[in-house]
Amino acid sequence: MRRDGSKVATMTSFIAVDWGTSNRRAFRIEDGQVVASERDDRGAASVAAADYPAEVAGIRQRLGDLPMLLAGMVGSNIGWRSVTYVAAPAGLADVAAALDWVDDRTAIVPGLSYRDGVHADVMRGEEVQLLGAVAAGLVPAEALLCQPGTHCKWATVERGAITRFTTAMTGELFALLRTHGVLARQLGHPVEPGAAFLAGVAEGAKRDLAASLFAIRARGVLGLADDADAASFASGLLIGADTAARIESGTTVHILADPALGALYAGAIDALGGTSHAIDSQAAFVAGITRIKDLAA
Amino acid sequence: MRRDGSKVATMTSFIAVDWGTSNRRAFRIEDGQVVASERDDRGAASVAAADYPAEVAGIRQRLGDLPMLLAGMVGSNIGWRSVTYVAAPAGLADVAAALDWVDDRTAIVPGLSYRDGVHADVMRGEEVQLLGAVAAGLVPAEALLCQPGTHCKWATVERGAITRFTTAMTGELFALLRTHGVLARQLGHPVEPGAAFLAGVAEGAKRDLAASLFAIRARGVLGLADDADAASFASGLLIGADTAARIESGTTVHILADPALGALYAGAIDALGGTSHAIDSQAAFVAGITRIKDLAA
């Protein structure tokens, strides 16, 4: 009930923000449907902690004076405030139970953590899309999901919960090599999903990254490969090594990514004997955050 | 015979320069023994191509007016001039036959190249030490040699020739990660060959580098590991992955390195079930370059 006694149109009207490091997307969601949205580059890296109240007020001015759920790096030490990680195995109910309430209608979604002996992992933001894909029926209840990017997430879902996951800093390594170091001047060309990329995937499957990367320089120095293909080969190498560590022949992978990056991972998965399906990551996010909102109500 | 008709003291008096990217070492060698030397930071990266004649004249002023052999990056496109690569398998006689004579008493030593299908590799400078170690009897005629560094060289020697080799950009990856990217702020501490390093070696042996590297961030974020140990763990991870790709249990490796870096590789080799021996890399260089001089005479 509003203060004036009128009933709100629907209990599930709210604003969801997918607030990443570089970008943010905000959605006004009514009964599980996006009725308005905005996207800009006011990511956590460019918003000071003290400015979040004003940023949130601005979003409400534009999209509606509604409850808000904020997911992603907004909940990290580079965001508004650092919120907890829920230990995997975890499903949407576990995430909803651990929402961090900034005030009585504004909450930050927790991340997930995972430990397996000395190996440890964290995610923050991806859990909404990954679990949302399951909740929306976009992927089976038992599945391997892949969300490529700077830090590529591979999550195993069982009975609707993420039971384990691995982050590979595949995109970050590519960016570092493209910007700094001995290979940088060879890697300026665009990455294309063709023969050079697939040759890189095959080389990457050897899982001997530091040596395979140097071969890019050697092939250039010896005139065995055109530097115009070097970025595609390097991308194939990194994505191939990542994928080969995660799948075997016959594995099915559900990919949540923009089309260009998704096509590269799909190409690598196919080359390594797997099968891939592209999942609509916005639909997955909206489904996941709506379910969290419902569970928290 | 000199122009004045007097006989020179010995036919094998000459100057050898190990001219790397950052540093150079010059030796006056008489009958295989170093009788004078100098070391400075006038590496190929800080000498313009046009300045080499003056640099070489300066070395002769200081160490003697003698024939000179120059090895290393001086023979690359960042050095005096780019000289050839001799294709492996290659021994010292092959190297000596391919010396690049700048004038009748000044020559640049060629590098080595290797191809194995799509994989290719090059070295420039290390071949003198690696083959010199064999020529001097410091390693057996059949051996696996490792020269760690920015670009770590692993060379298989058979019957005194390098038959194949692999370069891993292990040191460069560590430097990139320490300077740029998400792990940089965790990796500022010195690397120590202790428990954290060995935990990294064990993780590195999984040969899943992009994922194991992200675990450093996750372990830090979750408070599972002290960031003071992160650099040692990362070094162990990179060296472990490199070593695990090159040896199996029981393999003997001959290491040519400074004591600190050599101890790290020795620790990784030992942890992975191999055996290592430290080789005096200056003795190996002097033996190799002297043999090249003799063969070219």
Side-chain angles (χ1 to χ4, degrees), chain B residues 13 28 45-46 53 101-102 191 200 217 246 267 271-272 284 295:
Chain B
S13 289
R28 176 176 172 145
S46 49
W101 291 91
V102 180
V191 173
R217 174 164 169 79
R246 240 60 65 195
L272 296 171
L295 287 162

Side-chain angles (χ1 to χ4, degrees), chain A residues 169 172 182 208 210 219 246, chain B residues 118 169 172 182 208 210 246:
Chain A
M169 42 189 281
E172 177 169 337
V182 74
D208 187 10
R219 284 152 51 96
R246 240 58 66 194
Chain B
V118 73
M169 43 190 280
E172 178 169 337
V182 73
D208 188 9
R246 240 60 65 195

